[in-house]
Amino acid sequence: MALLKIKDLTVGIKQTGEKILKGISFSLNPSEILGILGESGSGKSLTALSILKLLPPGLSYFKGQVLFEEKNLLELEEREVNKIRGKKISIIFQDPLSSLNPVLTIEEQMEEIFQYHLGIKGKKAKDLMIRTLKEVGIPDPEFRLRNYPHELSGGLRQRVMIAMAIACSPKILIADEPTTALDLTIQMQVLELLKSLNQEKGLSIIFITHDLGILRWFAHRILVFYKGQILEIAPTEKLFKNPLHPYTKLLFNSYPGREELEDLNLWTQERLDQSLCPFYTKCAMACKESLEREPKLREVEPFHFVRCFLYE
Ligand SMILES: Nc1ncnc2c1ncn2[C@@H]1O[C@H](COP(=O)(O)OP(=O)(O)OP(=O)(O)O)[C@@H](O)[C@H]1O
Ligand SMILES: [Mg+2]
């Protein structure tokens, strides 16, 4: 049974009706690390924000469902979503400074979370804070609680963010490029921490990145995003051994040479622009079906899905 199910999530610009996320569907399993891979602007962050009803102003939901514990989060009142956010589903971002409050100490910020979600304060809350900070590998937690965010190094700040995110023992952690801004060694330490939370507590993680190497080592399953669509879904091993979509192949550097291809000039530029396949204009294997129909995400091998006419 999936823990979280996203169905046909379609998000776009309210005023113009332009779609940015175009029918995203996937599920997250219990204790799974699900990687979302995609280049800049492909809609990774927007997907993360959409799940928690945190869409930026100007954007709105056109279609779709986010199913969690038998409820569609998109239909819940803000008050109800607030009880889930940070408690059952947490999110961390690339830059912890933008999520931490600069004028509150770590203790004050953590206290807010405990009071709001768990209704505890005072000594009981403080004990739990210290325990959580220890759990994420922060040395001398009592001292750190008195710090303001700017007094912490980047690595420590991200650990504090993770501590806050897991403080209420959520089922799901969404991590949007949480290590991109960190030095390589610190990055590895943070990833190790997330991995151990997954293994020891069964925390399910949606991990967003454009770094293939991280996902290969870290994720159980990978979604490949491109222009607001999912082009491929596969367990990590399978995806690396046998990438199917021409875009994924390109990412993995095993793209066939242009010379092997049919003459792309058969098609005019206008027709290129009208293609229903998002990868058409860059695809070495571009096919005419893409001008007539939209490719659908299909399971072509067990647990391996791809959106491409080559496999129909
Ligand atoms: N508030 C907004 N208004 C209009 N368009 C937006 C808004 N936020 C994001 N977009 C557009 O949505 C698309 C997807 O953005 P998103 O931030 O999800 O990309 P991403 O995959 O996270 O990229 P990156 O790797 O750079 O973080 C982009 O083309 C972006 O320009
Ligand atoms: Mg992003």
Side-chain angles (χ1 to χ4, degrees):
M1 252 293 269
L3 192 56
L4 179 75
K5 220 174 167 88
I6 317 297
K7 279 191 180 168
D8 201 20
L9 181 66
T10 305
V11 166
I13 299 170
K14 205 182 295 174
Q15 277 210 321
T16 61
E18 186 197 329
K19 290 178 187 168
I20 300 177
L21 299 180
K22 302 162 186 164
I24 299 287
S25 299
F26 66 90
S27 52
L28 174 71
N29 297 315
S31 302
E32 180 177 43
I33 301 181
L34 182 67
I36 297 186
L37 180 69
E39 59 195 52
S40 191
S42 56
K44 306 182 297 296
S45 296
L46 218 46
T47 301
L49 295 171
S50 299
I51 291 173
L52 282 170
K53 275 191 101 170
L54 293 170
L55 277 191
L59 301 187
S60 62
Y61 295 97
F62 293 163
K63 241 189 340 186
Q65 296 181 315
V66 174
L67 301 170
F68 177 69
E69 295 184 340
E70 288 158 41
K71 285 185 203 131
N72 177 6
L73 299 191
L74 304 188
E75 281 173 351
L76 296 185
E77 297 286 328
E78 184 58 20
R79 271 182 47 231
E80 293 174 283
V81 184
N82 257 328
K83 285 189 215 144
I84 293 174
R85 246 184 244 140
K87 181 164 193 224
K88 296 188 166 184
I89 307 178
S90 288
I91 186 162
I92 55 173
F93 301 99
Q94 179 173 336
D95 175 18
L97 269 191
S98 66
S99 323
L100 292 167
N101 189 332
V103 300
L104 296 182
T105 62
I106 304 307
E107 178 168 352
E108 287 163 332
Q109 312 199 30
M110 291 191 88
E111 183 141 44
E112 272 182 8
I113 300 177
F114 286 133
Q115 201 160 352
Y116 183 79
H117 284 306
L118 305 176
I120 58 169
K121 51 183 181 176
K123 177 154 177 6
K124 217 172 154 194
K126 190 154 181 180
D127 287 346
L128 192 53
M129 284 177 215
I130 291 171
R131 211 168 75 207
T132 315
L133 292 180
K134 270 192 191 143
E135 206 176 320
V136 301
I138 293 181
D140 201 355
E142 266 140 291
F143 170 72
R144 289 303 174 193
L145 279 177
R146 295 193 293 271
N147 282 164
Y148 289 89
H150 71 267
E151 296 175 307
L152 304 173
S153 67
L156 271 185
R157 241 179 254 145
Q158 197 55 285
R159 277 179 201 268
V160 167
M161 278 311 298
I162 294 171
M164 290 192 190
I166 63 159
C168 302
S169 307
K171 299 226 164 84
I172 301 171
L173 176 69
I174 303 176
D176 187 355
E177 314 231 24
T179 60
T180 310
L182 305 175
D183 295 341
L184 206 61
T185 33
I186 311 287
Q187 183 173 340
M188 282 313 291
Q189 289 170 6
V190 171
L191 290 172
E192 290 281 4
L193 168 64
L194 292 176
K195 203 168 194 173
S196 74
L197 290 169
N198 167 259
Q199 284 169 348
E200 280 153 36
K201 300 191 139 197
L203 179 68
S204 295
I205 301 175
I206 297 179
F207 192 93
I208 295 175
T209 182
H210 50 256
D211 189 326
L212 270 174
I214 289 182
L215 288 187
R216 177 167 212 168
W217 171 79
F218 191 62
H220 300 128
R221 204 158 56 99
I222 297 176
L223 314 178
V224 180
F225 267 54
Y226 188 76
K227 288 192 187 165
Q229 289 189 307
I230 297 178
L231 296 190
E232 191 160 351
I233 303 178
T236 305
E237 287 272 301
K238 260 185 197 262
L239 193 71
F240 278 86
K241 226 181 261 167
N242 185 26
L244 296 178
H245 199 284
Y247 173 66
T248 320
K249 290 186 182 185
L250 180 69
L251 283 180
F252 291 14
N253 262 328
S254 53
Y255 203 45
R258 284 245 162 203
E259 57 280 6
E260 297 166 30
L261 307 169
E262 288 182 67
D263 187 356
L264 287 174
N265 298 329
L266 283 177
W267 302 309
T268 65
Q269 187 59 42
E270 297 129 65
R271 294 187 79 192
L272 286 178
D273 292 337
Q274 285 163 9
S275 168
L276 296 162
C277 166
F279 193 56
Y280 185 86
T281 51
K282 293 196 178 151
C283 184
M285 317 291 280
C287 62
K288 286 178 185 162
E289 283 96 324
S290 303
L291 301 170
E292 288 145 19
R293 295 185 286 135
E294 193 180 3
K296 299 264 183 278
L297 196 62
R298 293 172 68 247
E299 188 169 18
V300 297
E301 287 169 28
F303 308 109
H304 199 156
F305 297 79
V306 65
R307 185 189 296 281
C308 178
F309 289 114
L310 292 174
Y311 304 94
E312 282 196 5

